[in-house]
C-alpha cells in the first residue's frame, strides 16, 4: 500500500515568533518534493513537526489519513517517517557498523530481544553491511562515529535513515559541507530511491542545481509560511521566489 | 549455549580475568582459614552486584542510588524465609522468588514514574526511596530483626558441620562451607554470563544507543522510557540475586551488610576502578577493591611496625593502620587519574 502524507494548517510558535505558519501541503508517493527557503525560514522546524521532534501549536499531520499529531517521535518513526538530520546526529562512541545496525534493528522491529547475542544475528549484520556499501563506508565500519570526517558523518547520517527503511524520507541538507567527490554518493542514492514509486521523498536543499536535477515539485517557505508550491520550472520562475529566495541563494551556508 | 561472543578483548585483560576467575574457582583449595575464603566469596558477590550496576551506569547511562536497596531485598528475602520457614531449600526458593517479585515491581514503579522526566530526577528519586527503605527495614523489627538483623541457619548441606569428603584434593576437607562457596561461585558465574549476553544482545545495544544519543534513538523508533525502565528492572533483579547469595554465604542479613549507603559508595568506586560499560570491569574492580579493603589495613600494620622499629616514628605515622581509608581514597584518586576508563579500558587500549 502506498503512503500519503498531509499537513493541515501546521503551525508552531516559539514565544511570539511563528516559526512555521499554517502550512498545508499534500505529499504524494513517487514524488520528490524540494523544500527551499532562506536561512531561518522554518524548513527544519517543519520537518521536526512532521516527524514528531516538536509538537505543533496548531494544525495537524496526517499519515495515511490518520491524525498522528498527538503521537511521539518514536511512534511516528515506527509508522514509517524517516529523518536524516541537518546537524549530524549519530551515536558517537559506537562504531560505524553498530550505528547502522541499530537502524536495521529498528527497521526489523527488534527492540527487546535480550537473549540472542548480536554476533548471531547474521541477517541484521548482513543488511547493515549492504547499506554501508551503498554509502561507501565499508572500509570505516570499525571506526567509532566520532572520529569520522565531516563528509563521512553526513553519509552515515543518511545511512541511518536508509537502514530504517521508512516510507517517508526527509533529507535535511544531506550534502551540506560535503566535498565535491562525496556529494554525488548521496545524490545518486536519492536518485535511486526516487525510482521506487511508493515512497515519499522530501529534500531541504540550498543548492539550486541539485534541486533542479532531482525535484518533481518545489515548495518555498519564507518566514514559516508556504509562499509557492508547484512544478520546478514554474516555481523558480515565479516573482515571489526570484525575490524571496533566489535573491540570497548564491550565498552558500557555511555554518550548518 | 550461554556464551555471548563477547570475550574480554585484549591479551592482558584476558590473562587478568582468567587469573582472577581461576583463583576464585580454586579458592577453597588454595586458601587456608575462614577469612580468605570469606574474601573470595565477597569478591564473587560484589562482582555480580557491580556488574548489574554497570548495566545501568555503564550501558544505559542511568545513575541510581537504589542498588543497595535491591541487593538488600534479595538478602532479606532469603533471610526472612529461612528464619521464618526453617532452613530448607524450599525456603530459599520462596525467599528468592518473593524478593525478585518485590525488587522487580519496585524497580518498575520507580522507573516508569521517574524516568519519563530526566535521568537526574531518577537519581534523586532512587536516593529518597532507598533511604526510606533503609529506615523502614530497621523499624519493622518483627520482620527484619531491626538494627540487629537476622541470623539464620541454612539447609543441612550448606552448614559447616556437614562433611562431604574428609580428605579431599590437597588434603583439604570438603564441608558445607565449601559447598556454600561453590553455590555462590557458580551462581555468580551463571548470572554474570547471562548479563554479558544481555548487554551483547540487540536490546543491550539499544541501551548504549540511548546513553549516547536519546534524541536520535527516538527518531529511530526506540521508546527510551521503556528501555531505561527495562534496564532498571534487570539491574534490580540481578542485584537481588547477588543479595540472596550474600545472605546464604553470611547466614546473616542486617542493615550494615546490605542497605547501608557506604556499600552504595563501594559499588560506585568498584565500577569506576574496574571500568564502566565493560562488565568485565566489575570482576576486576571487585577483586581489587575487596582485597584492598581486607588486606590494606593488615599490610599497613606490618609497614607501621617495621618503620617504627627502624626509628622513624614520623614516617611511620603515615602507615598507621587506622589511616587505611585515607590510603584507599588515595588509591582511588590515582586510579581514576591514570586510568580514566578503568583498569579494563586501560588494558584493552594497551593491547589493541
Ligand atoms: N526550539 C526552538 N526554540 C526557539 N526557536 C526556534 C527553535 N527551533 C527553531 N527556532 C527558530 O525558528 C526559526 C526557523 O528555524 P529553522 O531551523 O526551521 O530554519 P531553517 O529554514 O531550517 O534554516 P536553515 O536553512 O538555516 O537550516 C528560526 O528563527 C529559529 O531560530
Ligand atoms: Mg534547517
Amino acid at each position: 500500500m502506498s503512503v500519503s502524507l498531509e499537513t493541515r494548517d501546521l503551525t508552531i510558535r516559539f514565544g511570539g515568533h511563528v516559526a512555521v505558519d499554517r502550512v498545508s501541503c499534500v505529499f504524494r508517493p513517487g514524488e520528490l518534493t524540494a523544500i527551499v527557503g532562506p536561512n531561518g525560514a522554518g524548513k527544519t522546524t517543519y520537518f521536526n513537526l512532521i516527524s514528531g521532534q516538536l509538537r505543533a501549536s496548531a494544525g495537524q499531520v496526517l499519515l495515511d489519513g490518520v491524525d498522528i499529531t498527538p503521537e511521539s517521535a518514536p511512534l511516528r518513526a515506527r509508522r514509517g517517517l524517516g529523518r536524516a538530520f541537518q546537524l549530524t546526529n549519530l551515536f558517537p562512541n559506537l562504531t560505524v557498523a553498530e550505528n547502522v545496525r541499530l537502524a536495521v534493528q529498528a527497521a526489523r522491529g527488534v527492540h527487546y530481544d535480550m537473549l540472542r547475542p548480536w554476533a548471531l544475528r547474521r541477517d541484521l549484520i548482513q543488511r547493515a553491511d549492504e547499506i554501508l556499501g551503498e554509502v561507501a563506508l565499508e572500509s570505516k565500519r570499525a571506526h567509532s562515529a566520532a572520529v569520522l570526517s565531516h563528509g563521512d558523518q553526513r553519509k552515515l547520517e543518511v545511512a541511518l535513515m536508509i537502514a530504517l527503511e521508512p516510507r517517508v524520507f526527509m533529507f535535511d541538507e544531506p550534502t551540506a559541507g560535503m566535498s565535491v567527490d562525496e556529494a554525488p554518493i548521496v545524490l545518486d542514492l536519492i536518485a535511486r530511491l526516487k525510482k521506487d514509486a511508493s515512497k515519499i521523498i522530501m529534500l531541504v536543499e540550498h543548492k539550486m542545481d541539485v534541486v533542479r536535477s532531482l525535484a518533481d515539485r518545489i515548495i518555498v517557505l519564507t518566514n514559516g509560511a508556504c509562499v509557492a508550491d508547484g512544478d520546478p520550472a514554474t516555481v523558480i520562475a515565479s516573482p515571489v521566489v526570484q525575490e524571496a529566495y533566489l535573491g540570497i541563494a548564491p550565498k552558500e551556508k557555511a555554518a550548518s | 549455549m550461554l556464551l555471548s561472543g563477547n570475550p574480554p578483548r585484549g591479551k592482558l585483560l584476558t590473562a587478568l580475568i582468567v587469573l582472577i576467575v581461576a583463583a576464585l574457582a580454586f579458592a577453597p583449595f588454595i586458601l587456608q582459614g575462614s577469612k580468605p575464603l570469606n574474601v573470595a566469596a565477597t569478591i564473587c558477590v560484589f562482582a555480580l552486584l557491580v556488574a548489574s550496576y554497570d548495566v545501568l551506569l555503564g550501558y544505559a547511562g542511568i545513575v541510581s542510588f537504589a542498588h543497595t536497596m535491591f541487593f538488600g531485598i534479595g538478602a532479606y528475602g532469603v533471610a526472612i524465609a529461612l528464619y521464618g520457614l526453617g532452613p530448607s531449600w524450599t525456603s530459599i526458593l520462596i525467599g528468592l522468588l518473593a524478593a525478585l517479585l518485590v525488587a522487580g515491581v519496585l524497580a518498575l514503579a520507580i522507573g516508569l514514574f521517574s524516568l519519563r522526566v530526566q535521568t537526574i530526577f531518577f537519581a534523586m528519586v532512587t536516593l529518597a526511596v532507598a533511604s526510606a527503605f533503609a529506615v523502614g527495614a530497621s523499624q519493622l523489627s518483627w520482620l527484619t530483626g531491626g538494627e540487629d538483623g537476622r541470623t539464620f541457619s541454612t539447609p543441612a548441606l550448606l552448614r559447616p558441620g556437614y562433611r562431604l569428603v574428609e580428605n579431599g584434593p590437597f588434603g583439604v576437607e570438603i564441608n558445607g562451607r565449601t559447598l556454600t562457596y561453590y553455590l555462590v561461585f557458580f551462581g555468580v558465574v551463571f548470572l554474570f554470563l547471562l548479563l554479558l549476553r544481555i548487554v551483547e544482545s540487540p536490546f543491550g545495544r539499544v541501551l548504549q544507543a540511548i546513553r549516547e544519543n536519546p534524541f536520535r534513538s527516538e527518531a529511530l523508533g526506540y521508546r527510551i522510557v521503556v528501555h531505561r525502565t527495562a534496564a532498571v528492572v534487570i539491574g534490580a533483579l540481578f542485584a537481588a540475586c547477588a543479595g540472596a547469595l550474600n545472605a546464604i554465604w553470611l547466614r546473616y542479613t542486617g542493615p550494615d551488610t546490605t542497605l547501608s549507603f557506604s556499600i552504595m559508595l563501594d559499588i560506585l568506586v568498584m565500577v569506576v576502578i574496574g571500568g564502566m560499560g565493560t562488565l568485565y570491569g566489575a570482576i576486576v574492580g571487585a577483586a581489587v577493591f575487596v582485597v584492598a579493603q581486607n588486606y590494606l589495613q593488615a599490610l599497613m600494620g606490618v609497614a607501621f611496625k617495621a618503620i617504627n622499629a627502624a626509628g622513624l616514628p614520623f614516617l611511620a605515622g603515615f602507615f598507621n593502620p587506622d589511616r587505611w581509608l585515607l590510603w584507599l581514597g588515595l588509591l582511588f584518586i590515582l586510579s581514576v587519574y591514570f586510568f580514566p576508563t578503568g583498569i579494563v579500558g586501560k588494558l584493552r587500549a594497551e593491547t589493541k
Side-chain angles (χ1 to χ4, degrees), chain A residues 14-15 17-20 37-46 48 54 86 172-173 204 206 221 253 256:
Chain A
F14 297 114
H17 177 64
V18 187
V20 172
N39 293 148
K43 305 179 295 292
T44 299
T45 308
Y46 184 53
N48 283 337
L54 288 172
Q86 179 178 9
D172 199 345
E173 304 192 30
V204 171
H206 280 271
L221 288 185
K253 297 192 319 147
S256 49

Side-chain angles (χ1 to χ4, degrees), chain B residues 203-218:
Chain B
F203 167 81
R205 203 61 103 233
V206 177
L207 291 186
Q208 288 177 307
I210 292 172
R211 172 198 72 201
E212 292 282 300
N213 190 342
F215 179 83
R216 185 51 184 249
S217 305
E218 288 200 309

Side-chain angles (χ1 to χ4, degrees), chain B residues 77-95 152-156 159:
Chain B
V78 166
I80 292 168
L82 281 175
Y83 183 83
L85 304 176
S88 70
W89 290 98
T90 325
S91 306
I92 293 184
L93 195 66
I94 291 173
F152 49 87
S153 327
T154 48
R159 284 182 215 148

Side-chain angles (χ1 to χ4, degrees), chain A residues 123-189:
Chain A
D123 51 332
L124 302 183
I125 291 173
Q126 229 164 30
R127 174 76 185 129
D129 285 349
E130 269 168 42
I131 289 166
L132 284 176
E134 284 185 41
V135 292
L137 279 177
E138 314 99 312
S139 61
K140 310 256 167 70
R141 57 203 310 287
H143 294 28
S144 73
V147 304
L148 293 183
S149 68
H150 174 79
D152 284 342
Q153 288 190 342
R154 296 301 297 157
K155 287 194 282 182
L156 185 54
E157 177 69 40
V158 168
L160 286 189
M161 175 165 67
I162 306 290
L164 189 59
E165 297 174 31
R167 299 187 297 153
V168 178
F169 292 82
M170 286 181 258
F171 292 93
D172 199 345
E173 304 192 30
T175 62
M178 267 193 178
S179 66
V180 280
D181 44 303
E182 282 172 325
I185 295 176
V186 170
L187 296 176
D188 289 350
L189 198 75

